[in-house]
Amino acid sequence: MTIQRILVIGAGTMGRQIAMSCALGGYTTVLQDISGPALDAARTELENWSASRVAKGKLSQDEVDSALQLLSQESDLTSAAKDADLVIEAAVERLDIKEQIFAQLGQITAEHAILATNSSTLPSSKVAAASGRPDRVCNMHFFNPALVMKCVEIVRNADTSDATVNAVTEVAQRLNKQPVLVNKEIPGFIANRMMGAINKEALNLAQSGVASIEDIDTTARTALGHPMGPFELMDMVGLDVVDFIAQATYAETDDEADLPHPLIVEKVAAGKLGRKSGEGFYPYN
Ligand code: 3HC
């Protein structure tokens, strides 16, 4: 099937940048959120980002103008969903809310529409049944910042059809992303499993006094060629998100090794969530 219209649910950090990526890919895109202020904040951020792209000579004025024209915002889910060929859900990471959204989408979207979730912790099989069309449901997991990071993990559940995988792969390619196919649902998929292993080791090294967080980050950047060190990255992702991912993984595996690291628990309890709260492992202005 040919996808022309995309609905992105959730105007948070991920949803707004996924929506802009879709508009830049030439798709008519609706960004939906029940919060008007969240939609307004998203629009402002994307307009500022567009202006800086033009100022840096990375995109032309025409390219950003046509993307911003293709991108509309909507607070009512039913009217936002009516013409969508593909829905990418990037709402809050709560199963009850996602189940409710997918059940509603099963009723209000066209029969052919594909329903994808950007969730990194909830595999699509958890919401597929609620939608009533499990063969057209999968994960499309983008990475933060979604306008920059190339990878999109496409995770199929046991019922996801080949046609669905092919259609969302084509969309990811048109967004100039690099799709990778995850054939089996597994906690953390590919990237978060690898990132989790690195983070755990970095946290253990810091906790045992082997090296400072600054030197561990410097090592990751200058010895391993990572763009950011693990502590810088955790601060960017949000320590509450790191904590939540670990808890969700533990809930699936029942393996105590997957529980949130004590240093993360300590930071979250102190309200130090990373860049978003002004302090995490590092202070931010
Ligand atoms: N939004 C949009 N664009 C951004 C951005 C943001 N928040 N942050 C940086 N950029 C853009 C800049 O505009 C710049 O673009 P340009 O080079 O085309 O002009 C480019 O990214 C590089 O930015 P900077 O020069 O300011 O800084 P860096 O070179 O340090 O790059 C970075 C910033 C892209 C964030 C880079 O450090 C990086 O790739 N870090 C690793 C990010 C990562 O691992 N993300 C995955 C997190 S895990 C995840 O998302 C999974 C989830 O389930 C938790």
Side-chain angles (χ1 to χ4, degrees):
M1 70 157 301
T2 310
I3 287 170
Q4 288 174 331
R5 291 168 185 274
I6 300 180
L7 162 64
V8 178
I9 300 178
T13 311
M14 293 303 290
R16 60 181 68 171
Q17 293 210 359
I18 294 170
M20 187 67 185
S21 301
C22 294
L24 284 166
Y27 292 101
T28 302
T29 307
V30 182
L31 177 60
Q32 186 274 340
D33 199 296
I34 48 172
S35 158
L39 287 170
D40 292 343
R43 189 83 196 179
T44 304
E45 181 188 299
L46 295 175
E47 283 173 358
N48 291 341
W49 177 84
S50 299
S52 78
R53 292 284 83 190
V54 174
K56 276 187 176 179
K58 302 276 178 165
L59 289 174
S60 70
Q61 191 65 50
D62 281 354
E63 283 170 313
V64 300
D65 285 349
S66 75
L68 288 169
Q69 230 164 34
L70 286 172
L71 179 62
S72 60
Q73 54 194 65
E74 176 71 71
S75 54
D76 179 62
L77 183 58
T78 304
S79 54
K82 66 180 187 319
D83 296 325
D85 303 309
L86 167 65
V87 180
I88 303 173
E89 173 274 320
V92 65
E93 289 283 80
R94 273 193 31 200
L95 180 57
D96 56 339
I97 290 176
K98 288 186 194 287
E99 268 177 339
Q100 203 183 319
I101 291 173
F102 274 73
Q104 201 179 343
L105 289 173
Q107 304 288 321
I108 62 178
T109 54
E111 187 62 25
H112 69 267
I114 291 174
L115 312 178
T117 171
N118 174 57
S119 180
S120 60
T121 53
L122 295 164
S124 71
S125 58
K126 303 245 184 205
V127 289
S131 76
R133 59 178 82 166
D135 59 310
R136 275 153 287 155
V137 175
C138 66
N139 286 74
M140 266 184 106
H141 181 215
F142 292 76
F143 293 85
N144 183 4
L147 279 162
V148 180
M149 305 310 285
K150 295 288 267 185
C151 187
V152 179
E153 291 174 328
I154 293 167
V155 189
R156 63 190 310 164
N157 67 61
D159 294 313
T160 309
S161 67
D162 289 341
T164 298
V165 169
N166 293 340
V168 296
T169 300
E170 205 181 304
V171 170
Q173 284 163 340
R174 201 166 132 192
L175 304 191
N176 200 21
K177 301 289 185 198
Q178 177 61 62
V180 295
L181 180 59
V182 184
N183 284 308
K184 284 184 187 172
E185 289 186 337
I186 177 170
F189 309 144
I190 302 172
N192 281 1
R193 287 180 84 85
M194 295 196 290
M195 185 176 70
I198 292 170
N199 289 349
K200 190 187 292 179
E201 194 54 43
L203 288 157
N204 285 339
L205 287 168
Q207 192 183 34
S208 56
V210 171
S212 65
I213 60 167
E214 290 83 357
D215 279 349
I216 295 168
D217 278 347
T218 301
T219 308
R221 278 189 269 100
T222 58
L224 305 176
H226 293 187
M228 293 173 120
F231 294 98
E232 295 165 323
L233 182 56
M234 285 188 275
D235 273 358
M236 188 188 85
V237 168
L239 302 186
D240 52 338
V241 176
V242 174
D243 181 63
F244 180 80
I245 291 173
Q247 285 187 37
T249 306
Y250 172 66
E252 288 292 319
T253 63
D254 214 20
D255 180 351
E256 288 191 4
D258 291 325
L259 277 166
H261 193 280
L263 290 184
I264 298 292
V265 175
E266 205 177 283
K267 292 281 180 197
V268 172
K272 295 177 180 175
L273 307 181
R275 282 191 195 181
K276 64 176 136 188
S277 72
E279 188 175 345
F281 288 104
Y282 296 98
Y284 300 89
N285 291 326

